[in-house]
Amino acid sequence: MSSLFRGEEMQLCQIYFKSEVAYSCVSQLGEMGIVQFKDLNENVNAFQRKFVNEVRRCEEIERKLRYIEKEAVKEEVELDEADQTCDAPKPKDMITLEAKIDQLEHDLVEVNTNKDALRKNYLELIELKHILVKATQFFEEADNFSIYNRPETHEYETEDEHVTLLMSERNRSPFAIGFLAGIMNRDKVSSFELMLWRFCRGNVFLKTADLTELVEDVTTNTLQAKTVFIIFFQGEQLKNKCKKICDGFKATIYPCPETLKERREMLNGVSMRLDELKTVLDQSLNLRRSILVNAAQSIKTWFAQVHKMKAIYHTLNMFSHDQKSIIAECWAPKSEINRIREILDLETKKIDMNFQTIVHFITSKEAPPTFNRVDKFTSGFQNIVNAYGVPSYREINPTPFYAITFPFLFGVMFGDAGHGLLMLLAAGYLIKKENYLKKAIKGNEIFELFFGGRYIMFLMAVFSIYAGFLYNDFFSKSTNIFGSKWKVTLGKDFPFEDIQQFTLNPDPYANETYKMYSGTPYPFGIDPVWQLATNKITFTNGLKMKFSVIIGIMQMVFGLVIGLKNHLFFRRKISILFEFIPQIIFISLIFVYLCLMIFIKWIKYAGTDDKLTGACAPNILLELINMFFLKDGTVTVVDGEKKYDECKRLYPGQHHIQMVFVIVAVMCVPVMLFTKPLLKLREHNKRIKYGSRFRGHVNPLSVNGHSSDEDDKHDKAERMGHTSNSVIDLEDDADLENEEHFEFGEVFVEQTIHTIEYFLGCVSHTASYLRLWALSLAHAELSEVLWTMLFKMGLNMAPPVGAFVMFFIFSAWGVITIGILCVMEGLSAFLHALRLHWVEFQSKFYKGEGYEFMPFSFEKILNEAELAE
């Protein structure tokens, strides 16, 4: 929790590796995931670094693994999950792994090549078979037609005198008749026929026959509707034209014998060849599947190993190299230093017992990264904070406070127990099924966003239910759980028909005839009697508006207290004296006093018959305005005479106390505006005057060139919990730190902006918290209007029709409730709660100028690689 509250204390380390152990040491640090390495070769081109060839080898192995994985997915082979505990392979094991994957890819490529060749041959033979069958049918039909129409012959004519169509035409024509047989897509036949007619000038005859079954295309491997065609022509010139036209339409031409006997012999040969190819093709597919099944057991693990190996070489490229050793610089949590040393010593002794890996602490003016340890519950809130800005080093992290205040403000705006219950069910489902959903929604950014905020949704739903019971709203209806504290005590002779509205008597001390209020409030939340009141909105508006102001001022004051904790931790005395104190005095004397007046008004005025009734209670807003103008709100001028209304006085001496409050609050502005810049200017001039005479002087008693003062400062820092490399300057006041460049004008302008922003922001931020009331009102009214427009309409119908209509009304009500009141209104309340935290709350203490700690972690690298896939 302390790490989440203020972030881990970081240490900049310099590690000296021996070249032989660097790989294994980096591998173990990657498994730990607690070290962020610095790039010591920023000016070196990526292609000129030492391990660029190893990185290329890893990328080549990744390419081969992706090819194998793609083939396995195409074959619908299930891939086994990766062994996340596998270690990165040693450099010598990389050769074995690379050879194994190379052989696997070679076998798979060879099998795929043979399979594709066999499949292409098989599909071509199928098309040829269709052509031979259709051609035989066509020629038989033509022969039968010629036999049926030729003149009668003598009985002595032998069978040898029977001639075919082509043979008879050849005998009668000086030009030989030829033909081309082929197959093409059915949707191109009409254009193909028209093209033949035009280019051949009608001198060809085209016969087509559609195939009844779909045929797999040779080039695209897709099932297509095809047509067999035969073109008859005379002469070589027409033959060449027909071939070119066939090529243009991507029609495939196959050889077709002229005689029936040759066609039948070819058809038998094709059928036998198809059977043989079918057997060989099945064996090839079985071999391919067996190779992929064996590879599927290890391919994910190989991917993980190669990713780790590649990450190690990328990291080694960031180090400084010489002939015998490797030097690395890294940021690491100070609490993990001993653990890092143990791991490095253990890995070093496995290879060389006489060598020890050295971890050396170095100082730097560079700001350390911010490391906040989070889990699956706090990670969602931390992402919200980081979206505004990563906390500065050792700055208080708002995430622990977000876990309560963020869903609470959401609940104030979304306060409905029914709608909160629906959200609670949705969040509970996401939490219960998180292990399954984490894999199922991978790649879907919208669902991943909701899934990542499942615990935020859960808390928002809980606080929405709480606020719903506080407002006594359950789908816009009130519940009478504890029994109303109001009752109507009127006689039977009361003329109810003569009135439309009746005001209940709020006096708890009235006699039993007119006593309508018991004198004790409803145990929790708003009394359900207000659901029937015509002035319900007026009452709830006043209540919610005042609560919004109180909540907002409490949160802003809490932000200032957190800022004080930061000032104390960083030892900023000037910021405490001349920033925090004027700020807290100003907000206390004006806005905390405003809250105090609200509580006094609630306590002092009641619904009794004495003089202090609610009718004469002062308006708090007018009291605040009179306070700024130094006016007495109890004084009214009538005909030049001052009259005092003591009923409107909240407490004795109110006017004089308010005058003092305003004067002191106004005096805080120049204190905050001028004091800090002037003190910085005075310190800067003092350093210019006295600092030069000590510049370059080294104490002879210092160690490693550091003065004894610096050593004392270092020891002091260690006692306070700071690191020597921290950006915090441990002078008597951290605000008066050494600055190489100091411009009084810049410092004064910055302080002026900060002063104006704070004092004007107190007013605007207080008004901004009224959005809590506004969104709560809008949500309640939308819910009530939806109920009135839909349910009330169905309930007023006669029973037979109403029962049928209520089914559709309830469906429409459910869709609108979930889609608009839960999703859209929930998103609106979420965004407004986000704005209140980012602007109104965090502006009081939070800078967010840090950068996130990005450790070298195999777990993170593998998760990113999995998401990229």
Side-chain angles (χ1 to χ4, degrees):
M1 183 66 183
S2 60
S3 168
L4 181 64
F5 180 73
R6 196 177 284 280
E8 288 277 349
E9 192 175 354
M10 307 300 292
Q11 177 67 56
L12 182 60
C13 304
Q14 197 172 54
I15 305 177
Y16 293 85
F17 301 103
K18 195 173 182 180
S19 299
E20 291 81 358
V21 301
Y23 182 93
S24 58
C25 289
V26 172
S27 175
Q28 290 302 317
L29 292 176
E31 296 290 349
M32 295 172 63
I34 54 174
V35 171
Q36 177 179 330
F37 290 103
K38 295 179 62 178
D39 190 358
L40 303 180
N41 303 311
E42 292 181 349
N43 299 325
V44 180
N45 190 286
F47 299 101
Q48 296 176 347
R49 301 198 179 191
K50 184 172 182 179
F51 297 98
V52 63
N53 292 328
E54 284 76 5
V55 173
R56 288 176 176 173
R57 288 175 63 189
C58 294
E59 291 176 348
E60 179 63 18
I61 296 175
E62 284 182 343
R63 183 197 64 78
K64 295 174 181 178
L65 288 176
R66 283 195 296 269
Y67 169 73
I68 298 172
E69 183 185 31
K70 181 181 177 182
E71 294 297 319
V73 172
K74 189 186 300 183
E75 192 67 22
E76 297 181 355
V77 176
E78 186 176 357
L79 303 177
D80 293 349
E81 291 296 327
D83 183 10
Q84 300 292 343
T85 60
C86 64
D87 294 330
K90 303 295 182 183
K92 60 182 180 180
D93 297 333
M94 181 180 179
I95 300 174
T96 305
L97 178 62
E98 188 177 15
K100 184 186 297 185
I101 296 174
D102 284 344
Q103 183 62 39
L104 183 61
E105 186 207 24
H106 178 268
D107 295 342
L108 191 58
V109 169
E110 185 177 0
V111 170
N112 285 340
T113 303
N114 295 333
K115 180 202 64 138
D116 293 340
L118 291 172
R119 190 169 188 81
K120 181 179 180 182
N121 195 3
Y122 181 77
L123 295 177
E124 289 176 348
L125 288 176
I126 289 178
E127 291 183 347
L128 178 58
K129 182 179 179 180
H130 284 298
I131 290 173
L132 292 174
V133 171
K134 293 296 181 181
T136 301
Q137 292 177 359
F138 171 71
F139 283 116
E140 287 179 353
E141 290 175 0
D143 292 342
N144 292 335
F145 180 78
S146 62
I147 293 173
Y148 177 79
N149 290 284
R150 71 180 179 177
E152 295 182 0
T153 57
H154 297 286
E155 294 180 359
Y156 57 85
E157 288 182 348
T158 63
E159 190 176 276
D160 295 337
E161 293 176 336
H162 175 69
V163 294
T164 63
L165 173 66
L166 292 176
M167 294 173 61
S168 61
E169 289 294 332
R170 284 199 183 105
N171 293 333
R172 291 197 297 266
S173 174
F175 299 100
I177 296 179
F179 70 95
L180 293 174
I183 191 170
M184 67 184 305
N185 291 340
R186 189 176 300 173
D187 55 354
K188 297 180 180 180
V189 171
S190 58
S191 301
F192 179 69
E193 185 175 2
L194 181 61
M195 188 67 68
L196 281 174
W197 175 264
R198 289 185 177 178
F199 275 81
C200 299
R201 301 179 183 276
N203 294 319
V204 296
F205 176 72
L206 176 67
K207 177 67 176 178
T208 60
D210 295 336
L211 298 181
T212 56
E213 59 183 15
L214 297 178
V215 179
E216 187 173 352
D217 190 71
V218 177
T219 56
T220 62
N221 294 327
T222 58
L223 294 176
Q224 297 179 358
K226 295 205 170 186
T227 299
V228 174
F229 64 88
I230 300 178
I231 307 172
F232 294 93
F233 51 83
Q234 283 183 329
E236 288 295 325
Q237 187 175 4
L238 286 177
K239 180 180 179 180
N240 294 332
K241 285 186 177 181
C242 292
K243 284 185 176 180
K244 291 180 180 180
I245 294 173
C246 291
D247 292 340
F249 281 87
K250 296 183 180 179
T252 307
I253 299 175
Y254 291 93
C256 182
E258 296 182 357
T259 64
L260 178 62
K261 181 180 179 181
E262 292 176 347
R263 285 196 296 271
R264 288 178 178 175
E265 290 177 355
M266 179 177 283
L267 184 59
N268 293 332
V270 168
S271 299
M272 294 176 60
R273 180 63 177 160
L274 282 174
D275 293 338
E276 295 174 357
L277 281 177
K278 178 65 174 175
T279 303
V280 177
L281 190 59
D282 290 341
Q283 293 176 354
S284 177
L285 292 175
N286 291 334
L287 176 60
R288 179 175 181 270
R289 184 170 182 83
S290 64
I291 293 174
L292 292 174
V293 169
N294 293 332
Q297 298 174 1
S298 306
I299 189 169
K300 290 289 187 180
T301 302
W302 290 340
F303 260 123
Q305 289 179 324
V306 175
H307 286 317
K308 289 182 178 182
M309 189 163 46
K310 181 181 175 182
I312 291 172
Y313 283 120
H314 268 304
T315 304
L316 290 174
N317 279 332
M318 300 167 65
F319 299 166
S320 177
H321 304 267
D322 56 21
Q323 294 180 352
K324 296 183 179 180
S325 62
I326 297 177
I327 303 173
E329 289 186 9
C330 63
W331 290 104
K334 194 173 182 181
S335 59
E336 301 285 352
I337 295 297
N338 292 333
R339 185 179 166 207
I340 293 172
R341 281 176 169 163
E342 292 175 0
I343 292 294
L344 295 178
D345 290 341
L346 181 63
E347 289 299 316
T348 303
K349 293 184 183 301
K350 289 180 181 179
I351 299 176
D352 190 348
M353 295 291 295
N354 299 323
F355 186 82
Q356 182 180 7
T357 300
I358 301 172
V359 179
H360 173 63
F361 297 161
I362 59 176
T363 58
S364 173
K365 292 184 178 180
E366 179 185 358
T370 300
F371 179 37
N372 299 110
R373 297 184 188 269
V374 295
D375 52 22
K376 62 183 181 180
F377 176 77
T378 57
S379 60
F381 296 102
Q382 187 65 56
N383 290 335
I384 295 177
V385 174
N386 290 345
Y388 176 85
V390 178
S392 301
Y393 178 66
R394 303 291 284 163
E395 181 183 24
I396 288 181
N397 183 19
T399 299
F401 315 120
Y402 267 57
I404 298 299
T405 59
F406 189 88
F408 174 74
L409 293 187
F410 176 89
V412 172
M413 293 181 281
F414 195 76
D416 190 292
H419 300 156
L421 180 62
L422 295 178
M423 185 180 293
L424 183 68
L425 295 175
Y429 175 79
L430 293 178
I431 294 173
K432 184 178 181 180
K433 300 289 185 179
E434 61 182 9
N435 293 329
Y436 166 75
L437 293 174
K438 189 179 296 183
K439 300 177 182 178
I441 65 174
K442 190 175 296 181
N444 192 320
E445 294 184 0
I446 296 179
F447 282 102
E448 284 182 350
L449 186 65
F450 281 100
F451 180 75
R454 58 194 181 280
Y455 290 101
I456 300 177
M457 288 177 57
F458 182 83
L459 290 179
M460 291 192 303
V462 170
F463 280 98
S464 297
I465 295 174
Y466 169 78
F469 282 116
L470 196 64
Y471 299 154
N472 208 343
D473 272 345
F474 188 86
F475 293 115
S476 79
K477 298 287 110 178
S478 294
T479 56
N480 193 7
I481 299 175
F482 304 104
S484 176
K485 301 303 179 181
W486 294 77
K487 61 181 180 179
V488 179
T489 56
L490 297 175
K492 296 182 179 179
D493 56 347
F494 186 81
F496 289 99
E497 64 278 359
D498 296 337
I499 61 173
Q500 294 182 351
Q501 295 182 1
F502 179 75
T503 303
L504 299 182
N505 183 14
D507 186 3
Y509 304 106
N511 57 46
E512 292 299 326
T513 304
Y514 297 101
K515 184 179 180 180
M516 301 181 182
Y517 177 53
S518 63
T520 58
Y522 196 68
F524 185 81
I526 298 176
D527 196 295
V529 73
W530 287 103
Q531 180 71 22
L532 307 174
T534 57
N535 60 339
K536 173 189 174 183
I537 295 179
T538 304
F539 170 73
T540 56
N541 274 357
L543 181 66
K544 292 180 180 180
M545 187 184 302
K546 293 179 177 65
F547 267 127
S548 299
V549 173
I550 293 171
I551 291 171
I553 293 174
M554 287 175 59
Q555 190 174 32
M556 289 191 292
V557 172
F558 180 60
L560 290 176
V561 174
I562 297 175
L564 174 62
K565 294 286 291 182
N566 274 333
H567 296 326
L568 291 173
F569 181 81
F570 293 120
R571 302 177 63 252
R572 301 170 182 155
K573 293 182 180 179
I574 290 181
S575 295
I576 295 173
L577 296 174
F578 303 107
E579 277 192 5
F580 170 75
I581 292 179
Q583 288 175 350
I584 197 67
I585 290 175
F586 180 85
I587 198 171
S588 299
L589 297 183
I590 302 297
F591 297 100
V592 176
Y593 176 70
L594 173 64
C595 298
L596 184 63
M597 287 194 295
I598 293 174
F599 283 110
I600 292 175
K601 180 179 177 180
W602 282 343
I603 296 171
K604 185 176 181 179
Y605 299 93
T608 57
D609 288 335
D610 57 11
K611 295 182 180 180
L612 299 179
T613 61
C616 73
N619 187 298
I620 298 297
L621 182 60
L622 293 179
E623 286 292 319
L624 186 64
I625 295 174
N626 290 331
M627 176 180 172
F628 277 108
F629 285 99
L630 305 179
K631 294 172 64 176
D632 190 352
T634 62
V635 178
T636 56
V637 179
V638 179
D639 297 331
E641 296 182 1
K642 294 183 179 180
K643 294 185 177 181
Y644 294 89
D645 188 357
E646 293 297 330
C647 180
K648 292 185 178 181
R649 192 180 300 279
L650 294 174
Y651 56 89
Q654 176 186 357
H655 176 58
H656 300 288
I657 293 175
Q658 289 180 170
M659 290 178 62
V660 174
F661 283 178
V662 172
I663 294 172
V664 174
V666 172
M667 291 174 61
C668 292
V669 178
V671 172
M672 182 176 173
L673 177 61
F674 296 107
T675 308
K676 186 174 180 179
L678 292 175
L679 288 176
K680 283 189 174 184
L681 178 63
R682 187 191 70 173
E683 182 66 20
H684 177 70
N685 293 334
K686 186 187 298 184
R687 286 175 179 169
I688 293 175
K689 183 177 181 180
Y690 299 107
S692 59
R693 66 180 64 179
F694 299 105
R695 193 170 300 156
H697 175 70
V698 179
N699 192 335
L701 300 178
S702 64
V703 181
N704 296 328
H706 297 288
S707 66
S708 58
D709 293 337
E710 291 177 346
D711 294 335
D712 293 340
K713 187 188 300 183
H714 176 77
D715 295 337
K716 189 176 181 180
E718 293 293 334
R719 291 194 301 271
M720 291 183 61
H722 301 297
T723 59
S724 59
N725 58 285
S726 174
V727 293
I728 306 163
D729 189 4
L730 295 174
E731 297 290 342
D732 290 337
D733 195 315
D735 284 308
L736 304 177
E737 57 187 5
N738 287 320
E739 298 179 2
E740 297 180 0
H741 175 73
F742 179 84
E743 287 288 343
F744 177 75
E746 294 180 3
V747 174
F748 184 75
V749 169
E750 181 181 357
Q751 186 67 21
T752 302
I753 295 173
H754 182 57
T755 304
I756 295 174
E757 181 184 10
Y758 175 77
F759 289 110
L760 293 183
C762 284
V763 180
S764 63
H765 292 173
T766 303
S768 180
Y769 275 97
L770 291 176
R771 69 183 69 235
L772 299 174
W773 152 67
L775 266 76
S776 175
L777 173 64
H779 187 79
E781 290 304 308
L782 279 174
S783 182
E784 188 169 356
V785 167
L786 182 62
W787 177 278
T788 305
M789 291 180 61
L790 291 178
F791 265 115
K792 193 173 182 180
M793 179 179 61
L795 293 174
N796 289 335
M797 293 184 179
V801 179
F804 177 75
V805 173
M806 277 300 295
F807 173 79
F808 298 97
I809 289 179
F810 180 80
S811 301
W813 176 82
V815 171
I816 297 174
T817 297
I818 295 175
I820 296 179
L821 294 181
C822 289
V823 177
M824 295 183 64
E825 283 285 307
L827 181 60
S828 175
F830 178 89
L831 294 176
H832 283 284
L834 189 65
R835 181 247 154 75
L836 289 175
H837 280 79
W838 278 1
V839 179
E840 279 73 21
F841 177 52
Q842 290 183 181
S843 63
K844 302 298 181 293
F845 69 96
Y846 188 66
K847 290 186 177 181
E849 297 174 348
Y851 63 98
E852 192 173 359
F853 177 63
M854 303 293 291
F856 173 63
S857 170
F858 286 150
E859 181 181 1
K860 184 177 181 181
I861 291 170
L862 294 179
N863 290 337
E864 291 177 353
E866 190 176 0
L867 290 176
E869 293 176 1

